Structures are given as structure tokens and as C-alpha cells.
Amino acid sequence: MLVLERALLRGFLSAAEALEWKQGEVAAAESGSLLQLIFDGKYEAIFSNSTIQNVFSASSETEENIDSYLEKQILTYLDCSAEADNVERQRLMFLLGVGSLQLFVQSNWTGPPVQLKLQDFLPPAFLQKFCEPKMLHAAILKVLVLDGESVYTLTSHPILLLIARIILVNSRHKLASLQTLSWWTLRYVNIHQQLLEERSPELFTLAQTCIKQVTEAETLITGGESRHLAVQFHLECAYTFLCYYEYKKAKQCFSTAKDITKLQINLTGALGKRTRFQEKYVAQLILDVQRTDECLLPHSEQSPAPTPLENLTRNYDLNDDTVLNEIKLADADQYQVPDMCAEELAVILGICVDFQKNNPIHKLTEEELLAFTSCLLSQPKFWAIQTSALLLRTKLEKGSTRRMERAMKQTQALADQFEDANTPVTERMKIFFCCQVPPRWAIQRQLASLLFELGCTSSALQIFEELEMWEDAVICYERAGQHGKAEEILRRELEKKETPGLYCLLGDVLKDHQYYDKAWELSRHRSARAQRSKGLLHLRNREFRECVQCFERSVQINPMQLGVWFSLGCAYIALEGYEGAAKAFQRCVTLEPDNAEAWNNLSTAYIRLKQKIKAFRTLQEALKCNYEHWQIWENYLLTSTDVGEFSEAIKAYHRLMDLREKYKDTQVLAILVRAVVDGMADRTGELASSLKGKLQELLGRVTSRVTNDGEIWRLYAQLYGNGQNDSGEDIEKSLQCLTKAHKCEIQSSDWEKDVSSFKEVVKGAIEIAHVAIKCSKNKSNHQEALQILSSARLNLRGLSSKAKQLFVDATSNEVCSEIADEVTTMDNMIAELQELSNQLRDQC
């Protein structure tokens, strides 16, 4: 049976497996006919099977809830059997669960539309309990709510997912003979999660259990024949981890899948042309894919056969008068992509998605992702991969004026393909679970968002209203300034049926707490959304204490709400509750390790808690996530300086100058200069004096940008010893810096009118004179030495004359006593400089 279970996971039988199966006992059993229906993609026919119909209509008691009724029927069927018949019954229920899940996917993801009706398999006595189908639909959706997170209201045939859940989750203890049960449960988790508004901790726990069980079942994904399945499993695990913010685990799974395929996937440059009128070949970014081993042959029987091109979604050409449809390479043969099988293409798509999740939104990132999509679309073979690649490309192209039209047409084609009955569902299901194709309403939502961005507001609203995506519709009305219309549409829907979600949206529109309270009561205190929205309104009104209470209630119901943890942390910082803030931001970065803002705010909380080393480390993590954020770099600069990481502080200062051309922080530079000059020890015990060269380079860069700050020039001189070194070069450099500092000081306004400011300038000029004397003695060229001395003498003479003009005692007609000493010193220094100059002239 394991061979058949593996084939079921793949979705098809190889020729050898089909031959073996026809000769086996399973083919003749009832479960054999169900298995054949699944392989043929005739999922609806499963519910016409007499045995399956008997399972649902056997009981005469119909007073239970829908989930209780279905679970009781299934468990009763599994329990009342002889030992010999037990395994066959387990197989039948397992295949019903798998078939229900596949049919649910067809109904909401792949299409074509499903025609199955509840009366086809549920007893009339049970259906009579519900006045109309909408009531039963609502009851099923309510059962599928997990961790207080609502299910999308227009989910088609939700009873199919409920049946899959009851069999694959609630009844798993009764299906011990099935070896691939955990894998199918993992697939159910991925599907159910996509219906929910936020991540569900309950589903994540279940997913982790399933992954552990499949990994421990050695026979399932080990051995040469299982390589294709092993790749699929690791890809499915990776997408699960990505969904629940476990980025490192996801990366490991993608890497393992790539290692199994023996593919080398690298972004590289190649000469090529991008426009029609380009004459020279220039470097273009492309994806280079090489196979190092032919272990996964493209047309192996274990891998699905490619779908005919006419059954795939049309890939629209660009049709631009300037830009080429695809890059024209100078040497196309050198970068020829090998003919790849389904699993290999899925691996490239997975690495592309992982790359997108782990890199900031940036023009370069977009170009890199387009290189991945171009590679995937160059081999159109599988519906799921084609759809995923085209969707990603449209998201990337919608911001480009030359590509916007194609993005629009392509999104429309992707939305319309669901209704197309020409492509068999078996073709669409190939490699489906390895690609994370979004549900059909997500594609239609993307289309509506694109229309809205293009200014087609009424068309966008029509789609949002048809999809009953009231939140998006409300945003549309709000942006269009039609606030009354947004309220009107919500009140109209509330008259039809009161739901917590609609009351929350009404609260959002009217900014009134009473509607959130109504939603909270209506959900019996289980709506995480109600407390989340109420908390956000308190946050906007700067009512931080009340806001914290609401957010705490919300995360207690569902702890996987990244945005709520972030807002909670901000509220705690506003209340100066830094321990609470640290805890909230710690949860943020646990859920999303590449959230730069959360890392930055976490470091702020640690700084306020006097945990500066922790703050330093968290800022390092923040910079890994966002290298372009100057405020994070500034925090990193200050924290590095504070904890004694002087080398990192110098690096941070350089980066800040890359981001902000005339950035300056004199206080930090003063600390760094003092640390280097005094030979202070850094955090690791190394002497800071070893950084003298790097700091000189930094100050050289700073002074080339900020030329009018005397204090920085003095720090630069101090770094060269202020003229007290024995090195002639250092003395000369010190003189240059001190001279420039002096010029900056005398260019500032009002220094002449204030005695204390004037005395500071005089002090600087006298210091320059001393250094000038020392510098002149090191000069072998007498003319240069004379020039240095003359410059210092003229400077002092000018200041002395100014002092005698500005600061004269009116009664005695002499220089004021406050500055008399300085004037005397200057006159003496002028005389000394004159004497030295005369000596040099005599030697010439």
C-alpha cells in the first residue's frame, strides 16, 4: 500500500505502479475504485459512491451540529467493523479525506468550478434543520474559525475542508494503517491557514507535529525512488515555515530541496540587450542554472509529465515599442537553462519566494526577482508554477509605466482561468502543494487593487463588493472621499446579518468604540480582531493605557499577530513601560526576524533598561534587515560608542555619510578621538590606538564634506598630536587643521563683540603660532618655513590690532585688563616670530 500512498502524494501512477496495482488486491476492493477516481481527477464522483453515501446517511439522529454529526458518522463507520475489514474502512475514510481536500482545492484554487451540492450526500432530515443553504454555510464557516480568526465568507464548499479536517485531524488516531496521513494533514494545514485572517497557533502546532512525524518515517522520503517526493516534502515544509515567520527553518528546507536536485542556482551578469534600439551589449542580470548531476532526470517516471502549452495560462508579450519582450543575450548558448522537471522548477520558484521574503523592498531586489521569473517562464510546463511565476511578475511590473498594461492583462487572464473547463484538474494539481498558489479570490483582489491604482475606482469597487471584501471596499470609498458610502454599505450588510467582522469595519469607518464592543460581545469574547481594532483606535487617540489592555487581550487569543505585538511595544514605550516593550518587540522579531523596525525599537527598550550590550546586538540584527535606514545606523553609532565598540562606530559613521551626505556628530567624534589618543581599551580589551589610521581616514572624509566646523578641525588636529609629535608630517597636518579651525571660528558672527569668545580665538591663534614655529624648524626649504612663520605672525598682528581697537578702557585709553594678558602674549609671540623670520632671511 505504501507504493500507492506515494503515488497518491504525487497525484499519478507510473506505468510500473499501474501494472502492479491492477494485479494487486487493492484494485479490486472498494477503496481501489475511490483511488482510481482521485487519480483521474473525478473528485466529485467520490460522493456518489454508495459506501460514502451510506456513511453520511446511516444515522437517524440528526440533532447535532454539522461538525459533531459528520465526526460521529465517520467514527461510527470506522468503529463498527471486523478486524479483517478494518484496514479497508481506514483506507476508504482516508481516501474520502484526501478526495475532499483535493475537491476543496479545485473549488477555491485551481478550478474549474465544482457542481457538488450538499443534498447529493447529506440526508434530507439533517438538511431540514437549516432553513436555507446560507445558514448551513455560515454554520460550517463558524466551525472552521480557529484562534478567533475568521474564515473568508465566500469560501466555496467549506464542508469539504471540514470533512478533510475531521478525517485527517480529529480521526487520525483511528487511521493507524496509513503511512502518509501526517503528510496529507500538513497539506490540510496549509490550505486551512490561507482561509484565515491571521496565523493560527493551533494550525502551526499541528504542522510541526506532522513535519516531525513524516521526517521520522524513514521509508517515506528516503531511497533513490523517493527523491522526487523528498524534494516536494521539503518544499511544502519550507512554505509552512515561511507562513509562520520561521524564516531560518524555511531557508534550511529550501536549501535541502536544492541539494537533492543537485542544481546550482546563481544570479549572475551576462552581456545582453534590453531595448530594441540598443547597439552595444551591456551587462544584464540573469539567473544561471546548472545541473551538477543527472540524478533527477527531467522525464523520470516519478516526476509529473509536462502539461500541454495550450492548457497553461497565456504568458502575454510586452509589445512595447522600446523594451524587448525578454533580454537578448550576446551568447545565449552559454547560459542555456537545462530542461528541468517539475520538482526542479518548483525548487527555483521556492528559492525565489525565499529571496523575496528575506530581502528589503528595493529596485535591485525587484530586478533580481524578475531574473527568477524570466527563468521559470522560459520553461512553461506546469500550471501551478506558471501561475505563481506570472503572479509574481505582475506584482513587480505594476510600478513600471512600460509594463503596467501587460501586468493588467496578465492579472485579468489569471483571474479568468478559474472558469476555464478545458484544462483538466489533474493537470492543474500537478506539483500544486509545492508552489503556494494563492486562492482565486486573492488573485481577483490583486486585480481589483491594480484597477484602483490605475484610477478605475468603480471597477475595483465592483470586484471588492462581489468578493464581499468589505474592508477593501471601505478603503476604496475612504480614499475616494466617500465616507458616507462606506458607512452605508456596511449598515446594509449588517441588516442582512450581524457579524463581528462587519461591526469592526463600521468601527473603523466611524472611529467609534461602541462597534468594537458590540463585535466583542457578538463573538463571545473570542474575536482577536475586535480587540485589535479597538486598541488601534486608542493608539491613534494616544490613550496608551487602554490601548495596552486591548492589545494584551488580542494577543492572548491569538499570539501570532505580528502587527499587534509591534503596536503593543510602541504603546508600552509611550507609557515608559520598557520591560513590556522589550517583551512585545522580542515577540515581533521572533515571529519575523527580518523586521528592522522591531529590532530597532527593541534596542531602544534595552537602552532604557540600561542593557546596552543587548541593545548593541539587537541593532546589529536590525541592520541585517535594513541596510538603508539612517536612523537605525545613527542608533547603532551612538550605542557602539557607548559600549566601547569603537571600530563599529567608525564603520557606522562612514555608512551614515553614505546615506546623508553632510552628516555630523561632533560629540561622537570627540569620544572616538579621545579613545584613540589616550589609548583606551574597547569592549573586547583591545587598545583603541590601533584604530588611529581608520579614524584619520574618517575625519578626512568628514572634513571634506563639512568644511565649516572648527570643532571637527580641532579634533582632526588632536588626532595628529596637536603639533606635539616628533613626526614632521604630523606637525604639518596639525598646523593645517588648526589653521582651518581658526578660520571657521573667525568666520562666525559676533565673536569680536564678546570678550570670552575673543579670548578663545586668541588662544587658538597662539597655539597655531607655537605649532608654526615647530613646523618651520622641520622645513629644509627656508622659503616654506618663512611663509609659515609670516602667516602665523600676520594672523596674530591682526588679532592684536583688533583687540586694541575694540577692548579699550575709556578712562585710561589702554587695553582692558580682561584681555591685557592675551594682548601682551600676542605681542611677545609676534616679536619672536619676527626674530625667527629675520634669522631665516639671513640664512637665505
Side-chain angles (χ1 to χ4, degrees), residues 168-170 172 179-190 202-217 220-221 233 236-237 240-241:
L168 300 173
V169 181
N170 302 5
R172 56 190 291 119
Q179 297 180 60
T180 58
L181 176 66
S182 295
W183 194 333
W184 280 103
T185 308
L186 178 65
R187 289 180 169 183
Y188 147 77
V189 167
N190 282 329
E202 182 186 325
L203 285 178
F204 184 41
T205 305
L206 179 58
Q208 287 174 305
T209 306
C210 292
I211 290 169
K212 186 170 180 284
Q213 287 171 348
V214 176
T215 307
E216 288 171 356
L220 202 54
I221 55 170
F233 173 68
E236 289 178 40
C237 292
T240 304
F241 286 130

Side-chain angles (χ1 to χ4, degrees), residues 374-417:
S374 298
C375 174
L376 289 165
L377 294 170
S378 69
Q379 295 199 12
K381 294 181 180 181
F382 301 96
W383 182 89
I385 289 167
Q386 182 87 343
T387 299
S388 301
L390 288 172
L391 270 171
L392 177 57
R393 190 183 70 185
T394 56
K395 284 179 184 174
L396 298 169
E397 289 188 340
K398 67 180 182 181
S400 165
T401 49
R402 290 194 175 275
R403 294 177 172 87
M404 172 73 85
E405 187 182 347
R406 175 167 73 174
M408 184 73 238
K409 278 159 59 179
Q410 194 66 70
T411 312
Q412 183 70 62
L414 288 163
D416 293 343
Q417 69 180 352

